[in-house]
Amino acid sequence: MNPEPTIDDLKLNKDISLELFKVHADQRMKLMNFYIVIVGFSIGGYFTALQNVGWQAALIVSLFLLFMTFCFWSLDRRTKQIVKISETSLKVVTQFLQEKIGKSEVEIVGISDNRQGNWSYSQVFTLIFAGCATLAVAGIVHSLLKACK
């Protein structure tokens, strides 16, 4: 049987978990910002290529966007896993505090899990990735249709 954690154990757990959470939550937002820039340039590049270069260049831009969408979606899934691991670790600390002082308000991770109908970052990001993948596939199809004319 494991001994009850000491305050020092909990403080160390909190410090490590919080730092892990901060770093990876920040990284997740920066990845999404960079991805949105890539999407914007890709959409502009697609139409520029279609008008000035030809369907082949537009096809390449669409394939690039589809590939980047897959890469950033994969990176986001991994970063989300790490954020969830740190949240779970923080939950241990806040649950311990809740039991010790008897106030449910300190259990902030559990409270924040109750979104009350609001979308999570993951749901919004998934919608963005799906929309951009759909745009990329539409660009591929459109480019190939141009090739057939």
Side-chain angles (χ1 to χ4, degrees):
M1 186 159 141
N2 291 336
E4 189 170 305
T6 66
I7 294 297
D8 289 337
D9 294 337
L10 290 171
K11 183 175 177 353
L12 180 61
N13 182 26
K14 177 202 63 109
D15 291 345
I16 292 170
S17 300
L18 197 54
E19 189 60 30
L20 190 65
F21 177 84
K22 285 181 194 176
V23 167
H24 287 90
D26 183 57
Q27 178 186 31
R28 191 173 189 204
M29 295 309 294
K30 287 178 181 174
L31 280 169
M32 184 52 75
N33 287 338
F34 186 59
Y35 173 70
I36 290 171
V37 169
I38 288 174
V39 169
F41 278 113
S42 295
I43 291 171
Y46 174 82
F47 288 109
T48 300
L50 202 57
Q51 288 178 344
N52 299 328
V53 182
W55 67 268
Q56 299 94 336
L59 177 65
I60 290 170
V61 171
S62 296
L63 289 169
F64 171 76
L65 178 58
L66 188 60
F67 177 71
M68 287 290 102
T69 298
F70 175 75
C71 290
F72 277 84
W73 172 74
S74 298
L75 287 170
D76 183 63
R77 286 184 59 206
R78 178 62 185 138
T79 306
K80 176 187 168 188
Q81 286 176 331
I82 296 170
V83 168
K84 286 293 178 190
I85 289 168
S86 61
E87 282 180 356
T88 301
S89 184
L90 284 169
K91 195 180 281 190
V92 170
V93 175
T94 58
Q95 284 173 342
F96 178 82
L97 285 173
Q98 178 187 1
E99 291 170 9
K100 288 292 183 192
I101 65 174
K103 291 194 177 201
S104 61
E105 294 83 17
V106 297
E107 217 278 280
I108 58 172
V109 178
I111 293 169
S112 70
D113 284 344
N114 181 8
R115 292 189 304 274
Q116 300 173 340
N118 296 317
W119 286 28
S120 68
Y121 279 99
S122 294
Q123 290 170 320
V124 173
F125 289 177
T126 299
L127 185 63
I128 291 169
F129 290 132
C132 291
T134 302
L135 275 175
V137 170
I140 292 167
V141 170
H142 185 256
S143 298
L144 292 175
L145 288 174
K146 286 275 190 188
C148 294
K149 288 184 180 181

